[in-house]
Amino acid sequence: MRHFAVVGSGPAGFYTAEALEKAYGDRARIDILDRYPVPYGLIRFGVAPDHQSLKAVSKRYDKVAESASVDFIGNVSVGGDVSVAELLELYDAVILAVGAPNDRKLGIPGEDLAGVVGSAEFVGWYNGHPEFADLDPPLGGTHAAVIGNGNVALDCARILSKTRHEFEGSDIVGHALDALDHSAIRTVTILGRRGPHQIAMTPKELGEVGHLEDAVPVVDMADFPPPEADEPLEPGLRKSVTLLRGFADLEANKSKTMVFDFFAKPVAIEGDGRAERIVVERTQLDENGAARGTGETYEVPASLVITAIGYSTPPLQGVAYDERGTKFLNDSGRIADRLYAVGWARRGPTGTIGTNRPDGYEVADHVVADMPAGSAGDRAGAGGLKRLLESRGVMPTDYQDWRKIEQTEESRARPGCPREKFVRVDDWLKTLGR
Ligand SMILES: Cc1cc2nc3c(=O)[nH]c(=O)nc-3n(C[C@H](O)[C@H](O)[C@H](O)COP(=O)(O)OP(=O)(O)OC[C@H]3O[C@@H](n4cnc5c(N)ncnc54)[C@H](O)[C@@H]3O)c2cc1C
């Protein structure tokens, strides 16, 4: 019997477990470990609460968790409760699927002022992430800014711009919904260092902001090249740019605006003890497509500044780390003997949920090549792990525990919404009678 530990229960962890289960059948036991008592990683804590159809992918992961060879072991932090070296003693292979949970820093003065938050924090706050439940982002001013030109930036801007009514059917947590409902923010400026042709926003997400109940997107046509320059763009990007151009025709007849400010590089955040404005330098593209400052600066008012410029994987003791790429150093998913990486921890923080599937299957193929199905293994697996955790006073959760938590969250839901999430680890554990 082979024993495999997949560390992380986000998409990458689940697709890898699914692939290993298919490859080994009942000749392997696959444990999916997670630091939280509940599974799914960014499906629960990242994907926007008003995008329920995407979150439904977790139903597929449930099938994996329910299969006879797979166990979920939650409430276990690798690097804290148990080390990677210890897991390698206990398991034939360890696959790190820990994602990239840390916000990348801008590296400009004023970044540490109150009122400046990373997108992981802000997104975690409205999605019920236990570490960010107390974030309390300042929503009392009229201006906010989001720095970044990807879908996460757009998620943050959209969440700030929606009405309470528009959150019906979502699983936004109650404390965030109430705070957003009382928000005074009327203008959200989205700052991008480069232009409309360089955005990483997809058509579905852009299309959505053109139809908000009480907010209208605003673009400056001077930022756009002539329409014929869109022709050579990849079709998805061309569609996004067409949608952006269309925003110029919308009437500004709503109470909130979402301003797309292109060729805008933040150089400082200023304010008296807290963020009040961003100093922005106008840029232009050089011959390599990089943004170069022109020296011209201006100010964008913002008492809430959300940085959405990417994420990094925190290092784990004993695991080779690629400082530049902010992920584990790996060769097609192989880190070292019997140690692998998958998902954002392998590739860096890019790609959709679906991108993690081929990734997981590829890494599982490496495991199969290194440890052919049918070959013997003599590691202790979950039994040994649980003994070790018990000796350290760590109480893991299992898949049945998760279903109990899920059912309780569903029973607490507001009318028309799928669930009211618990936002504290203690509450999850109390639900289980611990
Ligand atoms: C804000 C946001 C919105 C997004 N929206 C979309 C979208 O709408 N559509 C789409 O296709 N993609 C979206 N994505 C991208 C998608 O979420 C990622 O592609 C995917 O989640 C990456 O999967 P992963 O398994 O590598 O990482 P994650 O989903 O981050 O999973 C990592 C898991 O590892 C666990 N973990 C971390 N460290 C440890 C540790 N030390 N010990 C134990 N467990 C640990 C975490 O708790 C987590 O469960 C979004 C991403 C973000 C950030």
Side-chain angles (χ1 to χ4, degrees):
M1 177 68 78
R2 291 286 183 184
H3 295 275
F4 299 126
V6 176
V7 183
S9 66
F14 268 102
Y15 288 124
T16 308
E18 179 185 88
L20 288 171
E21 201 265 334
K22 281 190 184 162
Y24 288 91
D26 59 8
R27 286 168 299 179
R29 297 230 39 100
I30 302 143
D31 294 330
I32 306 177
L33 278 56
D34 205 285
R35 69 200 312 176
Y36 296 116
V38 301
Y40 310 143
L42 286 171
I43 302 300
R44 180 180 170 102
F45 294 124
V47 172
D50 53 344
H51 286 171
Q52 286 297 309
S53 56
L54 278 167
K55 289 192 181 237
V57 70
S58 63
K59 295 289 162 227
R60 176 182 177 144
Y61 305 155
D62 283 343
K63 293 227 159 46
V64 177
E66 280 160 7
S67 80
S69 316
V70 177
D71 278 321
F72 172 69
I73 305 181
N75 207 27
V76 177
S77 172
V78 173
D81 298 323
V82 59
S83 69
V84 173
E86 286 168 331
L87 286 181
L88 283 166
E89 285 295 313
L90 294 164
Y91 288 88
D92 293 290
V94 176
I95 299 105
L96 299 175
V98 293
N102 292 357
D103 278 300
R104 269 188 54 206
K105 289 290 205 184
L106 277 168
I108 62 172
E111 191 169 8
D112 295 326
L113 283 173
V116 184
V117 301
S119 61
E121 299 171 273
F122 185 67
V123 166
W125 170 73
Y126 62 66
N127 262 323
H129 192 297
E131 279 171 39
F132 308 118
D134 297 324
L135 183 72
D136 195 18
L139 303 173
T142 51
H143 287 70
V146 183
I147 301 173
N149 260 186
N151 278 338
V152 174
L154 207 50
D155 275 355
C156 295
R158 186 182 72 254
I159 295 290
L160 285 171
S161 305
K162 276 195 160 183
T163 61
R164 186 177 190 104
H165 169 66
E166 286 176 292
F167 285 110
E168 265 174 33
S170 79
D171 68 347
I172 188 166
V173 293
H175 67 79
L177 181 62
D178 290 342
L180 289 164
D181 196 24
H182 293 104
S183 161
I185 292 169
R186 290 292 167 266
T187 305
V188 181
T189 305
I190 303 175
L191 296 160
R193 281 184 308 173
R194 299 192 291 164
H197 276 194
Q198 286 77 36
I199 56 168
M201 297 170 176
T202 45
K204 184 181 162 292
E205 280 69 22
L206 265 176
E208 215 178 330
V209 300
H211 299 98
L212 295 179
E213 206 169 83
D214 197 25
V216 67
V218 174
V219 292
D220 181 349
M221 286 314 287
D223 288 336
F224 289 75
E228 56 274 19
D230 296 355
E231 284 305 315
L233 296 178
E234 171 276 314
L237 179 57
R238 192 163 64 231
K239 207 166 167 192
S240 289
V241 175
T242 305
L243 283 160
L244 274 176
R245 287 184 188 276
F247 293 164
D249 301 329
L250 296 176
E251 243 184 279
N253 56 356
K254 299 183 179 171
S255 82
K256 298 177 198 164
T257 50
M258 186 186 290
V259 179
F260 288 82
D261 193 356
F262 293 109
F263 303 108
K265 179 177 141 192
V267 290
I269 301 170
E270 293 180 344
D272 188 7
R274 49 181 316 110
E276 290 173 20
R277 69 195 89 79
I278 306 178
V279 181
V280 177
E281 183 178 13
R282 195 47 86 207
T283 66
Q284 56 193 23
L285 297 185
D286 68 13
E287 60 284 0
N288 301 316
R292 292 271 168 258
T294 60
E296 177 198 341
T297 59
Y298 58 100
E299 289 177 359
V300 172
S303 47
L304 168 64
V305 179
I306 301 170
T307 60
I309 56 163
Y311 302 97
S312 64
T313 301
L316 273 172
Q317 199 187 358
V319 182
Y321 187 69
D322 173 354
E323 292 289 345
R324 273 179 314 160
T326 63
K327 57 186 195 276
F328 296 126
L329 193 61
N330 71 92
D331 180 8
S332 304
R334 283 191 172 94
I335 301 178
D337 186 32
R338 302 189 293 113
L339 181 62
Y340 308 81
V342 70
W344 278 16
R346 166 193 173 180
R347 307 188 312 272
T350 58
T352 62
I353 298 164
T355 319
N356 299 293
R357 187 171 185 275
D359 198 344
Y361 273 72
E362 189 188 339
V363 170
D365 281 348
H366 294 329
V367 176
V368 174
D370 297 346
M371 284 160 234
S375 61
D378 59 358
R379 308 261 168 187
L385 175 65
K386 284 179 185 162
R387 280 191 294 278
L388 183 68
L389 293 172
E390 202 181 330
S391 73
R392 291 176 181 171
V394 180
M395 287 204 285
T397 55
D398 62 17
Y399 183 70
Q400 294 311 320
D401 292 333
W402 152 238
R403 293 314 297 254
K404 259 186 236 162
I405 293 170
E406 185 183 42
Q407 280 158 14
T408 313
E409 289 186 337
E410 285 168 1
S411 70
R412 286 158 28 98
R414 298 179 301 277
C417 294
R419 66 191 68 81
E420 181 62 51
K421 293 175 187 166
F422 289 109
V423 300
R424 290 182 205 288
V425 174
D426 279 357
D427 289 330
W428 283 320
L429 297 179
K430 257 190 238 152
T431 307
L432 304 174
R434 296 188 190 163

